[in-house]
């Protein structure tokens, strides 16, 4: 889909979602008025713009309005669930700040249920409608794929599994007849001249899925197709390196593909995140830490010998070494590095190095609170990839692909990986790999709304408990 039409299409889908959101909002208050005989307070109408703005940013973050980026209906439902969760938080925030309590729970129940029914139903009906229209031949596009290798077959599978996109593959051109083409082999790549000249078979687009070594063939195909009213698309041979956050730009006449686009590359977004960090950390230090720190310090001193704070070298943004502050939760003589293996010893469940008060501090995340000083002075952020000790970084960067990508941004007190269950010990490389993948996703999809969501989930997990916190 052309970029300008894609934006218009996604805006149209977003408007549909806003209409459903408004219907859910009005119906929820209507039910409250009719069933529970509650008077509708006009101040509540100001909640609607807040909910629409919240939906805009959450749907933009997850691309829930972009059906062409959805791999499956299940993936679409997951994106919708994220946006509905944001609505849940915004409703609670509105009622809390407006000091209303009498209808909060009932309104929230009706509103979330209606959203959870109407929006997924709209997505399902839309896809079913598109599928019906495409089967009737409405706006159906016929594609000729040049290249029957792995890339061409992967693209073919995507088209086959997503009928609602409205594409039909008429066949493959390849210089080698391959059995896996299942009768769709039409001949060598040179036949494209013949097909374009004769107009048989009819097709609307040519998709080139050839390796980079076939540069001359690709150039010839582009030249031939360019002289006809056929759209040409080229899948780069390095497409597996590109994710959904790629960026295409022109640098002094040269097309450049940036494999990973990070929102925090933008100066104004970094300023917004930094201002939030300063305000949030200042409020925590003044309103919470001012009375909490003396209590924790006293508890540490009474239960074990040694300093109150534990200072450890960790890696910050761009691998810069920082001093990370924590409340001491282990006995003073505890060692970070095993004397026999020479490997870094991560904290384990029932770790004998952890003091009694230290176990409580770690489970409740209170041991991390001194890091708000790190945040306030700019070494860390409230939300970001968790910083690892130097020995663990040195070990992991050799074992885990893209490990150091997580250091493109400031480390955080909490992060996307942590609220998704990947905190604590990562002795199994697969656990560290999963943590890194979550951290990279956060870097590529950062938004202030996402930070607020992670902070909320961190407090929530602290209340309900986290089995990986030890």
């Amino acid at each position: 889909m052309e970029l300008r039409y894609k934006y218009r299409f996604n805006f149209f889908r977003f408007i549909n979602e806003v209409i459903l959101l408004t219907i859910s909002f009005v119906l929820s208050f209507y039910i409250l008025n009719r069933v529970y005989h509650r008077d509708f307070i006009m101040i509540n109408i100001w909640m609607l713009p807040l909910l629409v703005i919240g939906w805009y940013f959450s749907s933009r973050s997850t691309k829930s309005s972009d059906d062409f980026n959805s791999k499956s209906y299940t993936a679409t439902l997951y994106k919708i669930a994220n946006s509905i969760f944001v609505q849940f938080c915004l409703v609670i925030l509105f009622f809390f700040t407006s000091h209303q309590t009498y209808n909060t729970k009932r309104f929230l129940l009706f509103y979330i249920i209606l959203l959870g029914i109407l929006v997924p139903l709209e997505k399902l009906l839309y896809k079913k409608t598109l599928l019906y229209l495409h089967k009737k031949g409405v706006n159906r596009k016929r594609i000729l794929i040049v290249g029957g290798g792995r890339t061409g077959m992967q693209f073919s599978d995507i088209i086959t599994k997503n009928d609602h996109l409205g594409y039909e593959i008429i066949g493959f051109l390849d210089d080698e007849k391959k059995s896996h083409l299942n009768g769709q082999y039409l001949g060598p790549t040179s036949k494209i001249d013949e097909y374009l000249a004769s107009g048989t078979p009819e097709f609307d687009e040519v998709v080139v899925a050839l390796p980079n070594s076939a540069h001359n063939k690709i150039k010839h195909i582009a030249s031939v197709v360019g002289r006809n009213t056929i759209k040409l698309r080229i899948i780069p041979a390095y497409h597996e390196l590109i994710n959904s956050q790629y960026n295409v730009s022109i640098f002094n006449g040269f097309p450049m593909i940036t494999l990973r686009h990070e929102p925090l590359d933008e100066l104004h977004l970094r300023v917004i995140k930094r201002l939030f960090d300063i305000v949030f950390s200042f409020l925590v230090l003044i309103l919470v830490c001012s009375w909490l720190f003396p209590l924790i310090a006293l508890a540490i001193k009474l239960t074990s010998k040694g300093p109150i704070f534990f200072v450890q070298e960790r890696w910050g943004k761009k691998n810069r070494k920082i001093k990370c502050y924590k409340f001491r939760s282990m006995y003073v003589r505890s060692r970070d590095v095993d004397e026999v293996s020479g490997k870094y010893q991560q904290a384990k469940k029932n770790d004998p190095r952890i003091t009694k008060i230290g176990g409580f501090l770690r489970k409740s995340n209170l041991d991390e609170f001194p890091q708000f000083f790190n945040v306030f002075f700019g070494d860390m952020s409230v939300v970001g990839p968790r910083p690892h000790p130097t020995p663990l970084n040195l070990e992991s960067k050799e074992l885990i692909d893209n490990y150091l990508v997580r250091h493109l941004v400031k480390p955080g007190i909490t992060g996307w990986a942590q609220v998704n269950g990947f905190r604590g010990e990562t002795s199994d490389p697969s656990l560290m790999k999963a943590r890194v993948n979550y951290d990279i996703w956060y870097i590529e999809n950062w938004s202030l709304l996402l930070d607020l969501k992670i902070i909320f989930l961190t407090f929530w997990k602290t209340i309900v408990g986290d089995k990986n916190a030890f």
Side-chain angles (χ1 to χ4, degrees):
M1 179 179 284
E2 295 298 331
L3 196 58
R4 63 182 183 275
Y5 295 125
K6 179 180 177 181
Y7 287 148
R8 293 174 187 171
F9 176 82
N10 289 344
F11 179 73
F12 170 74
R13 297 306 312 282
F14 171 72
I15 293 299
N16 283 347
E17 292 170 357
V18 170
I19 292 173
L20 295 176
L21 186 151
T22 305
I23 291 173
S24 301
F25 179 86
V26 173
L27 276 179
S28 298
F29 274 114
Y30 178 78
I31 295 171
L32 280 175
N33 292 337
R34 298 286 294 180
V35 177
Y36 297 100
H37 307 290
R38 296 287 190 182
D39 293 329
F40 181 85
I41 301 176
M42 289 307 295
I43 190 175
N44 291 325
I45 200 67
W46 295 106
M47 194 196 317
L48 184 58
L50 174 68
L51 297 177
V52 172
I53 292 171
W55 189 274
Y56 170 77
F57 284 106
S58 60
S59 63
R60 185 179 179 185
S61 174
T62 61
K63 295 183 173 64
S64 64
S65 299
D66 186 356
D67 291 271
F68 290 87
N69 277 339
S70 299
K71 295 181 179 179
S72 66
Y73 186 65
T74 303
T76 301
L77 290 178
Y78 176 76
K79 294 176 180 179
I80 294 171
N82 274 278
S83 294
I84 291 178
F85 175 79
V86 172
Q87 295 290 298
F88 175 87
C89 296
L90 289 175
V91 171
I92 293 177
L93 177 65
F94 180 88
F95 279 116
F96 177 77
T97 55
S98 61
H99 305 290
Q100 297 184 59
T101 57
Y102 69 88
N103 58 4
T104 305
K105 293 180 181 178
R106 286 169 179 165
F107 172 80
L108 187 60
L109 176 65
F110 296 136
Y111 180 63
I112 296 302
I113 288 176
L114 286 170
L115 267 186
I117 294 173
L118 293 179
V119 177
L121 184 61
E122 185 268 344
K123 297 283 185 184
L124 182 61
L125 289 176
Y126 179 79
K127 287 194 174 185
K128 293 293 185 183
T129 302
L130 275 184
L131 184 58
Y132 173 78
L133 292 175
H134 292 322
K135 284 182 177 179
K136 293 294 183 179
V138 179
N139 198 34
R140 193 161 183 83
K141 303 289 181 62
R142 294 163 61 83
I143 296 177
L144 174 67
I145 299 179
V146 181
R150 185 162 62 97
T151 300
M153 295 309 298
Q154 287 175 345
F155 179 75
S156 173
D157 288 341
I158 291 173
I159 295 299
T160 304
K161 293 175 182 177
N162 292 274
D163 286 344
H164 67 282
L165 298 179
Y167 290 99
E168 176 187 356
I169 298 172
I170 64 170
F172 292 80
L173 295 181
D174 197 281
D175 291 332
E176 179 183 346
K177 188 174 182 179
K178 298 180 170 76
S179 58
H180 61 254
L181 295 179
N182 298 322
Q184 288 188 298
Y185 179 71
L186 300 178
T189 57
S190 58
K191 266 202 168 186
I192 192 167
D193 304 71
E194 176 185 331
Y195 284 140
L196 289 172
S198 64
T200 304
E202 295 182 358
F203 51 90
D204 304 289
E205 298 183 13
V206 173
V207 174
V208 178
L210 294 173
N212 285 342
S213 56
H215 173 75
N216 290 332
K217 290 181 183 178
I218 296 174
K219 188 175 180 180
H220 171 72
I221 292 169
S223 176
V224 173
V225 175
R227 295 194 295 268
N228 293 267
T229 55
I230 301 291
K231 187 173 293 183
L232 175 68
R233 302 182 190 271
I234 301 175
I235 301 176
Y238 43 82
H239 71 284
E240 293 178 342
L241 300 176
I242 301 175
N243 58 36
S244 61
Q245 301 300 322
Y246 76 96
N247 185 46
V248 179
S249 59
I250 301 296
F251 182 79
N252 201 24
F254 286 89
M256 307 282 285
I257 298 178
T258 304
L259 300 185
R260 181 175 289 107
H261 172 67
E262 301 91 23
L264 291 173
D265 277 345
E266 304 291 336
L267 177 61
H268 68 286
L269 295 180
R270 290 202 304 274
V271 170
I272 290 173
K273 185 170 175 64
R274 179 61 187 142
L275 288 175
F276 174 79
D277 284 341
I278 292 172
V279 172
F280 191 88
S281 60
F282 178 78
L283 291 175
V284 171
L285 290 171
I286 296 299
L287 301 178
V288 180
C289 297
S290 58
W291 58 266
L292 183 63
F293 276 23
L295 297 177
I296 295 177
L298 181 62
I300 293 173
K301 276 297 185 182
L302 291 176
T303 54
S304 64
K305 294 181 180 180
I308 296 169
F309 295 102
F310 173 68
V311 184
Q312 188 178 50
E313 180 185 87
R314 299 194 176 189
W315 290 13
K317 184 177 180 181
K318 297 183 178 178
N319 302 333
R320 184 171 59 88
K321 308 299 187 297
I322 64 173
K323 289 182 178 180
C324 186
Y325 296 94
K326 299 180 68 174
F327 282 119
R328 181 174 59 83
S329 59
M330 292 187 176
Y331 293 104
V332 174
R333 294 182 179 179
S334 302
R335 292 183 176 274
D336 288 339
V337 179
D338 186 270
E339 292 181 335
V340 179
S341 65
K343 291 187 176 181
Y344 180 78
Q345 298 184 89
Q346 300 182 56
K348 299 177 175 62
K349 193 171 185 178
N350 301 320
D351 196 318
R353 297 174 297 168
I354 299 176
T355 65
K356 289 184 178 180
I357 189 64
F360 168 75
L361 294 176
R362 298 175 76 95
K363 281 184 175 294
S364 60
N365 297 314
L366 292 176
D367 65 320
E368 311 283 1
F369 267 56
Q371 290 167 33
F372 280 105
F373 284 109
N374 289 102
V375 174
F376 187 76
F377 292 114
D379 290 332
M380 292 177 60
S381 181
V382 176
V383 180
R386 283 293 297 151
H388 294 156
T390 295
L392 185 57
N393 281 315
L394 294 174
E395 290 176 15
S396 301
K397 73 184 184 72
E398 302 298 334
L399 298 174
I400 309 298
D401 291 338
N402 298 318
Y403 177 81
L404 293 180
V405 171
R406 63 198 304 275
H407 293 162
L408 288 173
V409 298
K410 290 180 182 179
I413 296 177
T414 184
W416 184 235
Q418 281 63 43
V419 298
N420 280 281
F422 292 95
R423 61 168 294 180
E425 186 185 7
T426 53
S427 54
D428 185 343
S430 65
L431 294 176
M432 180 61 83
K433 177 62 177 175
R435 177 183 289 186
V436 170
N437 288 340
Y438 273 101
D439 287 337
I440 292 175
W441 185 92
Y442 168 80
I443 292 171
E444 295 174 346
N445 295 273
W446 177 86
S447 69
L448 186 58
L449 197 62
L450 179 59
D451 276 2
L452 293 173
K453 176 181 177 179
I454 293 171
I455 292 170
F456 177 85
L457 288 174
T458 301
F459 282 116
W460 176 255
K461 282 184 172 286
T462 299
I463 295 171
V464 301
D466 189 336
K467 64 179 181 179
N468 294 319
F470 44 80

